[in-house]
Each structure stands twice: as C-alpha cells, then as structure tokens.
Amino acid sequence: MYPQAQCDCSTTVLKYGFQNYLSLLTLVYAVEEINANPVLLPNVSLGFHIYDSCDDGVLVTNGAFGALSGRDASAANYNCEPCRRVIAIIDDLPSEMSKQMGNLLKIYKHPQISAGSRDGFLSDRVLFPSTYRTVASGAHLHIAISRLLKHFGWTWIGVFSMEEGDSVGIIKRLQEEIAKQGGCIDFVVFMPTVARQDQILNKVQESLRSSSVNVIVFHGSAKAHFNIGLLIQQMPPVHGKVWIFTDELGFEKWYYFNTVSLNGNLAFVPHKQEIPGFRDFSSKANPERYPEDYFLKHVWFWNFQCNLPHRESYNLFGNCTGKEDLGILGDHGGPRLRAKDYPIYNAVYAVAYALHKALSSPHPKRSRVRDADIGVYLPIKLNRYLRSVHFTNSAGEDIFFDENGDVMVVYDLLNLVYSGNRSRTVQVGRFNPLAPAGEELTLDDSLITWNRDFTKTPPQSRCSEPCDPGYRKLTSDGKQICCYSCIRCPEGEVSNQKDADQCLKCPADKWPNARRDQCIPKDLMYLSYQELLGAVLVFIALSFALLTTLVLGLFIKFRETVIVKANNRDLSYALLISLMLCFLCSLIFIGRPKKVTCVLRQVIFAITFTVSVSSILGKTLTVVMAFQATKPGSKLRTWMTYGLSNYLVIFCSTIQAIICTIWLSITPPFPSFDTHSVIGQIILECNEGSITAFYCVLGYLAFLGSLCFFVAFLARTLPDSFNEAKFITFSMLVFCSVWISFIPTYLSSKGKYMVAVEIFAILASTAGLLGCIFIPKCYIILLRPDMNTKGHVSRR
C-alpha cells in the first residue's frame, strides 16, 4: 500500500472500443506483475481506473477531470475523493484527443503517458511539458525510410498522407531527409480524413497515372492504413509499384487482405517483444476470475455467443459457464501481444519505476503533509522522475525517455507476402536509431519476396537513367535534381562511380584514361637520345663538330699559307675551337634533365657563343684596323702590335662569364615538372630559374652579334684579298636571322620541342658561321692553291 495512505495509488487508462480488450488485459497483466514483484514498489499496490472515451472529446475531458478530482468534471480544481485521485494517466487515444488531454494536464503538472498517439506536436516540451510517450513518435521514421530508399537506389518517390496531426511536418522532414540522400519526391498528396472512399480512390489513381514513380510512401494512422489497404484491393492492378507503409499500430490486420496487389510491399513497424507469461495469462482470463470486469462480459457475449450465469440473458444465445478458454480466440496457444499493446505494458512499468524512485527519495515536507494530500504532491514529483526513468522490461529491452519525452523505438522492416491464398508478413530488416551512423539499417535482400509483375528485381524508381562512370549529372533549370542528363567529364577529370554529381580532377601526375573513369599516370616527356628527333640532332651535332675539327686541322696544316695567316691566325683557331664546342654543347640539351646538366647547358652555350661572336668581332676589327694603320701618322699600328683583338675576345667573354656567375649564384636553373602545358604528359624540363637572367645572356649575345654585323657591314667595301669582311657580314646576317626567328618559335613550343628548337638554333647559327667564314677559305686551300700565294696577293 502507499505509505501512510488509506487508499491504493492508482493509474488511469482511457480506452475506447470493446474490440481492444487485449489492451486492457495488457494493462491488468502489467499491474499484477508489478504488484507481485517484491523488489519493485515493496509494500505498495498499484490499482487503476478505466474510462471509455467512445471517441468523444467531451468524454475525454470529463474523464481527465474525474481522474484529477476523484469525482467528475463538475468538481474541477477540487480534491473531492483523495483515495480516487490518480498519480498518472496512460492514454491510448487518437492524436487530437491525446493533445486535448495534454493541454489540460500540463496546467496541473500531471504526468501523461501516451501509448497510442504519435503526433509530432507531443514532442514539443514547451507545449506539452508533462506528456511522455511509449509509442513510436515517428521522429526517426523519416530517417529509416530514407535509408531504405538509398539502399535500393530509389530516388523518384511519391507520397500519400492523411491530413491528421503533424502530417505536414512529418512529410516535410521526410522530404528533407530524402533530399540529403540525393532523392526527390515527385508528388505529395494529402488526403482529408472526412473524404469519401471513392474520392480518395480517384485521387490515388489520378496521381499514379500522371507520375512515373514506382515507389510510393504512405503515412497515416492504423485506421488510415487499413482503409488504404481496402482501396488498393479495389484498384485495377498497378504493375511495378512498391508501397512503403508506416503503419505503427495496425499492420497486423493486413492478413485480411488476400490480394496480389499488395504482394512485395514493405512496411516499417515498431519492434515488438513477446512478454513472458502474457499468452498464458490472457488465455486464463475469464468472468469467474474477474467477476467485476465490465468489459469481459461483453467479450464473452459477443465472442462465445452465450449468456453468463447471474447476468442479463438474451434468448438469442444459450448459456455458458464463464470458464471458457479465451485462448481459442487467439492463434496457436492464446492471444498474442499486439504491436499496439506493447507500449501500454512499457507505460505501466515506466510509471511504476518512477513511482518507486519518488517514494524512495526523502520528502522534505512529509511531516507537514497529510496522507490524503500525498496524491496532490506525488504526481508533480513523479513527473520529475519520469524524465530520468531507465529500466529493462521483462522482454530484455531498455526503456527510457529522451529529451522530448519519447522512447527510442527500433523499427522492424516487414515484407507483405501473398501466397497460398493468404497474406503474411516476413521480417526482412531492422532500423535501430541507436546504432552507429551509417549502420542503422540492417537488411537481408534475399528474404524479400517481390511482386512477380516486376520486370526487374529489385524494382527501379528513377526519374532519369543512371550516369555511367566517366559521366556526370547535369540538371536542367526548372527540374528536380533527380531529373538530369548525363554529360562526359571534361578533360583532366574523371568519375569512377555511377550518378556522380561532379567529376574529380586527376592529380598533377595523372591523366584520365579513354573512358575517363580512372586516372592513369601521365607519360614522362623529354628529348631523349633514343627517339628519332634526338638521334637526328645528335648525328647533326657530331657531324658538324667533326667537320669543324677537320677545318681546324686543315688550318693548322696550312698555317704558314697566306690565307691562314691573313686576318689573325690565332683568332681563326679560337673561333674554330669555339664553334666546335658550340656544336658539342647542344648534346647537353638532349637526355633526361638533371641538376648538373641544367646548370651546364646554358652556361656553356652562353660562354662558347660569346667566344665565337667576340672572335668574329675581333677579326672584323682586324680588317678595319689593318687599313687604318697604313695611313701616315696612324697610332693603330701600335695597338695592333699589342694584339688588341685577342684582348677584345677575353674582355667580351669575361663580361658574359660575370653575368652567368651572378645568374648561378642567385637563381640557378633546376630540373622541374610541367604538368599543365601538354595534355596527358608531364614535361621534364630545365627551369631557367630566372627568366630575366636568361634573357640578359641572350641579350648580351644579341648585342655582340649586332655590333659585329654593323662593323662588318661598314668594312665590306674595304679592299681585301680574300674578301673576309663580306663573308663575316653575310655570316652575321645568317646568325642574327636565326636567333631573331628563334625567340617566337621558342616561346610557342612546348616540352621537348622547345628544347629541339633551341638545339636547332644553336646548330643552324653555328653552321652558318662555319660555312660563311671558313668554307671559302677551305675551297682556296684545297682546290685553288694558286690563289694561296704571296705573288697572287701582290698581283691583286
């Protein structure tokens, strides 16, 4: 009994409809099980009052006031009969009536545990601070549906919903969750609860005909699900459609529907555990055991069709003993606990555990509060302990309320199967909101029986055909994201999965394959000795180097002849050696670039070419000075004695060497990878380090060449036995033409062809100098020796 109280603590349940007598048995079984437990609520017995709302909001309010006052609605705000005041109210009401009661009970801070309403508004702790729920609230149902859609790749969905409770908010959350998974809802149809069946049927058929969706989600109450099942039976066969139902209370009734139209559909229902001992208890419930049970006599009368002794008799039926076995009304061993009854069982235990905690805690005002007033203060205290209640029921399931006063419900995924002229449900999966992210849904596809009318299993529901790897989706303006066309990934990008939203850029060292579904390593590109272009350039360079060596040997052999001694024999040797080195330096530009070769190639090229051009400049000045020195009183004869031309070569070369030294000390050339210039290839090249320094080197060479050309052009008319000034003028014209055309060609080339252009410029300009200056002399030495004599020169 309640400590120091003269009456039982009671719990009230408002029930509606005699057909739900199993719910009452669930309540009775839970109360008797708690009262028989020596640990839970010792020395305290639970009792209960039962009110029938008859689906009438006025009776709901009257019942609530009666539970609060102990009498009826006329005694509101009074504590008329303390022994009849209840500490908590458990309801199994429709959503609107449950909210109506919650608005009343929150004024008195009286606990309300709803075992039937799943309206989302009841989760609002501001509007309903004293309301709790052991039935599934639907807070995670939209996540469960979206995970199922993603599992099968269903992205084109239709939704039907009844206009009841928070259906608009639930469907909105469902749309948001489906959109997160990349899906779209083609249509949402809200059906009024007051509409006629034929109106709803026409609305459903019209929506299905005008849409290409193959997956339809239906949301509504148990009654709405039962009605939609009747409608589907009346509809013409709809091929290739999958219905996903969210029946949380009455899906068990669907065994009434023996139709192929429902075959292969799916439903999320709250997980239900078997309560140990309940089937045996419900089988033994009879009027003799519970003679005061007002509802039981009606169950007996209508189900066994007989008159109980000592009760009002009807001539229509015979008499019965009242000991008949209620188990024959169930299947295989007695009435089974239904999905709608399991929340009632948990609600009773939640009140019991919260009450146990409340009575176990110290009460600071206990000495000043009369026993009869405990019923006033205890509900308020109980409301606080319900928030933190956490227990394991007899089925081994953890029960607790979250911050919104809702229990965390696990959903079973059922498959409706029609075979053998009867319908049955098969559990094919489960959704657990407490599981790690991404693992909430577990599903065994092999257990699902699909409708035989489906042309493909599992069936598909898409607005557009999926994009293959190598393509991406392109959504048109004004259409949903699920309706798209497929376009090929642009160059440099790939997609390696179906329905890719974006193509991904390949890393810098990789490139798409032909299908553009994966990145493959780029080809490494540089001018090598093995390829034809490199081999040809090597052959040309070596050939000209050999030719220069032969010319040098020829000049050394005929060093005492007039033509060799004319115009400074030492400069001729220096020029030939530098030209030979110019031919050979082009070989450094061929092959895989390395740090050493990158540094040497430009330095050697710059210095050898400077020596060549400055030698030619010295030879030109020698011609000019030779004729000026013959004038009387000219001081140039003294400068020619000191070998001014030789010092000029050294001076000019030293300046170039200084420029190169500064270049190498600040930003020397280095090998680098160019991954962007040529599509699909990596260019291994020598980065000049400093473009400014590189063009300073070329600019200095251009200055020397221009100066040499200008001096030679002025000296071309001077009388010369071998006309060397004219040959130098022509050679510098070739030299300057090559390097002027080199710059735009070099800048417009990429990769190894840029190197090839520079090598060609080196070989062409060097060959031009060699040919224009020395070939005429070789012709005289070898073929016209008569012209290579002092006598011939004197005669000219």
Side-chain angles (χ1 to χ4, degrees):
M1 300 298 292
Y2 193 100
Q4 302 182 9
Q6 302 300 320
C7 59
D8 293 344
C9 300
S10 302
T11 304
T12 297
V13 177
L14 276 75
K15 297 300 299 177
Y16 60 97
F18 302 134
Q19 59 181 348
N20 295 322
Y21 184 68
L22 278 178
S23 300
L24 175 60
L25 283 182
T26 305
L27 169 71
V28 175
Y29 177 71
V31 171
E32 292 190 2
E33 194 175 46
I34 292 169
N35 289 337
N37 190 333
V39 178
L40 182 61
L41 291 175
N43 301 322
V44 176
S45 295
L46 289 181
F48 56 88
H49 298 305
I50 299 174
Y51 290 84
D52 186 7
S53 68
C54 297
D55 282 341
D56 190 333
V58 176
L59 292 181
V60 169
T61 303
N62 289 339
F65 275 120
L68 292 172
S69 65
R71 184 174 291 179
D72 54 32
S74 62
N77 297 324
Y78 286 93
N79 186 13
C80 300
E81 298 184 31
C83 290
R84 293 181 58 85
R85 255 187 93 93
V86 298
I87 60 171
I89 294 179
I90 300 174
D91 78 77
D92 184 14
L93 294 170
S95 296
E96 290 303 320
M97 295 184 184
S98 185
K99 288 190 292 184
Q100 175 183 330
M101 181 184 295
N103 285 322
L104 174 63
L105 296 180
K106 72 179 180 182
I107 300 174
Y108 303 94
K109 299 181 180 179
H110 206 89
Q112 174 195 12
I113 299 94
S114 176
S117 174
R118 51 182 180 157
D119 195 313
F121 287 120
L122 291 177
S123 297
D124 191 331
R125 304 313 288 164
V126 176
L127 297 178
F128 301 98
S130 301
T131 302
Y132 304 86
R133 283 190 288 186
T134 53
V135 70
S137 65
H140 298 95
L141 187 59
H142 59 285
I143 301 177
I145 294 174
S146 68
R147 296 291 190 276
L148 177 64
L149 299 177
K150 182 180 180 181
H151 176 81
F152 287 112
W154 294 332
T155 57
W156 194 231
I157 314 300
V159 177
F160 291 106
S161 176
M162 304 303 296
E163 289 182 346
E164 54 186 10
D166 187 29
S167 59
V168 175
I170 292 174
I171 298 305
K172 182 179 179 181
R173 291 191 293 272
L174 177 62
Q175 285 180 300
E176 293 173 352
E177 193 64 32
I178 290 176
K180 289 180 183 177
Q181 305 296 335
C184 305
I185 294 181
D186 182 31
F187 63 83
V188 177
V189 178
F190 289 99
M191 298 177 289
T193 54
V194 296
R196 298 197 313 269
Q197 291 287 87
D198 60 331
Q199 293 176 331
I200 296 178
L201 178 61
N202 292 334
K203 205 169 187 179
V204 171
Q205 288 179 327
E206 180 182 351
S207 300
L208 294 179
R209 280 195 300 264
S210 61
S211 175
S212 60
V213 299
N214 292 326
V215 175
I216 303 102
V217 176
F218 180 81
H219 176 268
S221 62
K223 183 178 179 181
H225 273 80
F226 190 81
N227 291 336
I228 199 67
L230 293 174
L231 286 176
I232 294 176
Q233 284 195 125
Q234 301 172 23
M235 290 170 55
V238 180
H239 302 289
K241 306 294 183 184
V242 178
W243 288 77
I244 300 176
F245 300 104
T246 59
D247 178 17
E248 300 191 357
L249 297 175
F251 196 74
E252 295 156 327
K253 297 179 182 179
W254 282 51
Y255 61 83
Y256 291 118
F257 303 129
N258 296 326
T259 173
V260 180
S261 300
L262 295 175
N263 199 21
N265 296 317
L266 302 168
F268 279 106
V269 299
H271 178 63
K272 173 180 66 74
Q273 294 278 22
E274 284 293 335
I275 303 299
F278 176 75
R279 300 189 71 174
D280 183 61
F281 167 81
S282 59
S283 299
K284 295 178 180 179
N286 55 57
E288 183 176 346
R289 185 176 181 181
Y290 300 106
E292 302 299 326
D293 191 337
Y294 171 80
F295 299 102
L296 191 55
K297 70 173 185 177
H298 291 277
V299 173
W300 230 256
F301 178 78
W302 290 109
N303 288 279
F304 291 104
Q305 298 183 352
C306 62
N307 298 308
L308 292 170
H310 312 298
R311 300 282 182 177
E312 182 180 355
S313 300
Y314 298 91
N315 295 329
L316 183 62
F317 301 127
N319 296 327
C320 51
T321 64
K323 298 180 181 181
E324 285 77 13
D325 187 4
L326 195 62
I328 64 175
L329 301 180
D331 56 341
H332 305 293
R336 304 181 64 178
L337 187 72
R338 300 175 302 168
K340 66 173 297 181
D341 303 329
Y342 189 59
I344 297 176
Y345 180 84
N346 290 328
V348 176
Y349 263 92
V351 173
Y353 274 98
L355 179 60
H356 180 88
K357 207 169 182 181
L359 295 178
S360 302
S361 62
H363 198 298
K365 299 182 180 180
R366 174 61 59 85
S367 59
R368 291 178 289 168
V369 178
R370 296 180 294 109
D371 291 340
D373 292 334
I374 292 179
V376 178
Y377 296 100
L378 191 56
I380 299 175
K381 188 175 182 181
L382 185 67
N383 195 24
R384 184 171 72 252
Y385 285 103
L386 273 170
R387 298 189 189 106
S388 58
V389 71
H390 192 159
F391 63 94
T392 303
N393 62 18
S394 60
E397 186 174 0
D398 281 346
I399 305 297
F400 61 92
F401 297 109
D402 61 15
E403 65 276 6
N404 297 321
D406 300 323
V407 294
M408 300 294 286
V409 176
V410 175
Y411 289 92
D412 290 335
L413 180 61
L414 304 183
N415 178 216
L416 187 64
V417 180
Y418 177 78
S419 62
N421 295 325
R422 70 184 185 93
S423 297
R424 60 187 176 91
T425 57
V426 178
Q427 181 177 341
V428 296
R430 176 170 296 178
F431 179 83
N432 185 0
L434 297 178
E439 302 178 10
E440 299 95 339
L441 180 66
T442 55
L443 178 60
D444 187 351
D445 296 10
S446 62
L447 297 177
I448 299 178
T449 301
W450 300 105
N451 197 309
R452 286 178 296 180
D453 292 333
F454 296 156
T455 57
K456 184 179 180 180
T457 56
Q460 300 296 308
S461 184
R462 308 178 64 95
C463 181
S464 302
E465 289 299 317
C467 295
D468 294 328
Y471 293 81
R472 71 171 181 90
K473 297 188 290 187
L474 178 64
T475 306
S476 303
D477 293 338
K479 292 186 177 181
Q480 297 198 58
I481 60 173
C482 299
C483 302
Y484 50 82
S485 56
C486 299
I487 61 171
R488 192 168 179 81
C489 289
E491 288 186 352
E493 298 183 6
V494 298
S495 65
N496 54 8
Q497 61 182 7
K498 283 193 172 184
D499 277 343
D501 293 318
Q502 295 293 334
C503 296
L504 303 177
K505 277 189 172 295
C506 288
D509 60 337
K510 292 186 178 181
W511 187 252
N513 60 356
R515 295 188 300 272
R516 297 186 184 178
D517 57 0
Q518 63 176 340
C519 296
I520 57 176
K522 289 183 177 179
D523 295 331
L524 199 59
M525 178 183 180
Y526 61 90
L527 186 60
S528 66
Y529 293 102
Q530 287 75 25
E531 60 182 299
L532 179 62
L533 179 59
V536 170
L537 292 175
V538 169
F539 174 77
I540 294 174
L542 293 177
S543 299
F544 276 108
L546 178 60
L547 179 60
T548 307
T549 304
L550 293 176
V551 173
L552 178 61
L554 184 65
F555 268 54
I556 293 174
K557 181 178 180 181
F558 295 94
R559 60 184 176 275
E560 298 300 331
T561 60
V562 175
I563 198 168
V564 175
K565 293 172 68 174
N567 303 111
N568 201 325
R569 180 174 53 187
D570 294 335
L571 283 181
S572 297
Y573 293 159
L575 178 58
L576 286 170
I577 293 173
S578 63
L579 291 177
M580 181 179 62
L581 293 177
C582 288
F583 286 122
L584 294 177
C585 80
S586 63
L587 301 179
I588 307 177
F589 289 79
I590 305 175
R592 186 185 182 98
K594 299 179 182 178
K595 187 174 182 179
V596 175
T597 57
C598 286
V599 172
L600 292 179
R601 63 166 59 172
Q602 299 296 354
V603 173
I604 295 177
F605 155 73
I607 294 177
T608 54
F609 259 78
T610 301
V611 173
S612 300
V613 177
S614 58
S615 297
I616 296 174
L617 179 60
K619 290 175 72 65
T620 308
L621 289 176
T622 300
V623 174
V624 175
M625 291 173 64
F627 284 96
Q628 293 297 327
T630 59
K631 295 180 180 181
S634 176
K635 298 181 180 180
L636 291 178
R637 187 185 301 272
T638 305
W639 288 102
M640 292 185 64
T641 306
Y642 292 111
L644 178 62
S645 300
N646 296 336
Y647 289 111
L648 179 65
V649 173
I650 296 174
F651 175 76
C652 294
S653 302
T654 303
I655 293 177
Q656 186 70 286
I658 292 174
I659 297 175
C660 292
T661 302
I662 296 174
W663 180 11
L664 297 181
S665 61
I666 298 176
T667 51
F670 58 91
S672 65
F673 294 94
D674 181 1
T675 58
H676 305 290
S677 298
V678 180
I679 297 176
Q681 292 181 328
I682 299 176
I683 301 174
L684 182 55
E685 61 183 3
C686 285
N687 189 301
E688 310 305 341
S690 173
I691 296 297
T692 303
F694 175 68
Y695 283 107
C696 284
V697 169
L698 292 182
Y700 182 67
L701 282 174
F703 168 74
L704 291 179
S706 301
L707 181 61
C708 185
F709 175 74
F710 178 72
V711 174
F713 182 78
L714 295 178
R716 73 188 188 282
T717 58
L718 295 176
D720 184 5
S721 299
F722 303 105
N723 206 16
E724 189 170 44
K726 293 183 179 180
F727 294 145
I728 291 175
T729 302
F730 187 70
S731 66
M732 293 313 301
L733 181 62
V734 173
F735 179 86
C736 293
S737 300
V738 169
W739 285 104
I740 289 174
S741 61
F742 158 78
I743 294 176
T745 308
Y746 181 81
L747 294 177
S748 62
S749 302
K750 302 293 183 183
K752 62 182 180 180
Y753 300 105
M754 180 184 290
V755 178
V757 167
E758 187 170 1
I759 295 174
F760 177 80
I762 293 172
L763 296 178
S765 60
T766 308
L769 296 178
L770 177 65
C772 294
I773 296 175
F774 291 100
I775 294 302
K777 299 182 186 319
C778 293
Y779 170 77
I780 293 174
I781 293 173
L782 296 176
L783 301 180
R784 297 294 303 273
D786 57 304
M787 298 176 62
N788 192 15
T789 61
K790 288 183 180 182
H792 178 74
V793 173
S794 299
R795 286 193 300 271
R796 291 194 64 183

